[in-house]
Amino acid sequence: MKNIEIATNIIVCDYNELTDIQKKLVTQAKEACRTAYAPYSQFNVGAAALLDNDQIISGSNQENAAYPSGTCAERTTLFYAGAKYPDNAVTKLAIAAYKGDAFTATPTAPCGACRQVILETEHRYKTPIEIILYGEEKTYIITSIESLLPLCFGKTDLE
Ligand code: THU
């Protein structure tokens, strides 16, 4: 028997340390929180995706009285990006969340289902997606979803 240790690298930084494009994506993710339809959780999430044609697509969580019928900001955004620009890779994805009367102090990480969809998007375009998780007090940068989804199941498993 032996152990396998899986290390995950997460960059922790302040908003001010982000590059211009990262700041722009965070700003659009924060703005997208305003479009959330979250009457059940009151947790407004926004996401903004940068495509390799320099387009930015943003989206928000859209809830439903039949809870599982709703969807997260990340999936709203990535599915719309895929539907609108099927030939363009997503290269960066910023996420922000607003609760009560403020953006969250710590970063909001994507749920398991969204991690799987981000993984599929990386594999679909053979391009890693830099993920920027915004928080008022600190921001995380992750260079690929594989850091958040070790031992992942993806399309290559079916080949
Ligand atoms: N949610 C997102 O949109 N993205 C996340 O990363 C975490 C959770 C949404 C789903 C639901 O509408 C609300 O936040 C509470 O879970």
Side-chain angles (χ1 to χ4, degrees):
M1 234 195 289
K2 63 174 185 175
N3 286 329
I4 300 172
E5 278 192 23
I6 301 173
T8 290
N9 189 266
I10 297 174
I11 298 162
V12 186
C13 64
D14 288 332
Y15 173 81
N16 291 334
E17 295 177 276
L18 299 177
T19 63
D20 287 349
I21 185 63
Q22 288 170 335
K23 284 181 181 163
K24 190 172 179 182
L25 289 169
V26 166
T27 300
Q28 296 217 10
K30 288 169 84 174
E31 280 172 6
C33 290
R34 286 202 226 123
T35 69
Y37 175 65
Y40 305 104
S41 71
Q42 318 285 340
F43 191 68
N44 293 11
V45 186
L50 177 69
L51 310 188
D52 67 3
N53 62 356
D54 293 332
Q55 288 279 339
I56 296 176
I57 300 292
S58 64
S60 54
N61 53 331
Q62 301 293 317
E63 297 184 349
N64 194 285
Y67 291 177
S69 302
T71 192
C72 294
E74 296 89 327
R75 274 176 286 162
T76 303
T77 302
L78 292 177
F79 288 152
Y80 182 64
K84 179 102 173 148
Y85 298 103
D87 299 325
N88 292 99
V90 176
T91 58
K92 296 180 194 293
L93 179 69
I95 300 159
Y98 190 92
K99 185 168 179 58
D101 58 0
F103 288 101
T104 56
T106 53
T108 296
C111 76
C114 287
R115 291 178 197 208
Q116 191 68 34
V117 170
I118 296 168
L119 178 77
E120 185 76 23
T121 309
E122 285 198 357
H123 288 175
R124 176 176 178 179
Y125 298 106
K126 299 182 176 59
T127 305
I129 299 175
E130 180 187 77
I131 302 163
I132 304 144
L133 305 178
Y134 175 78
E136 289 277 88
E137 287 173 6
K138 60 181 173 182
T139 292
Y140 291 161
I141 302 174
I142 296 134
T143 51
S144 162
I145 195 62
E146 291 192 4
S147 297
L148 295 183
L149 204 58
L151 293 183
C152 54
F153 177 82
K155 68 198 282 273
T156 51
D157 292 293
L158 297 173
E159 284 162 9

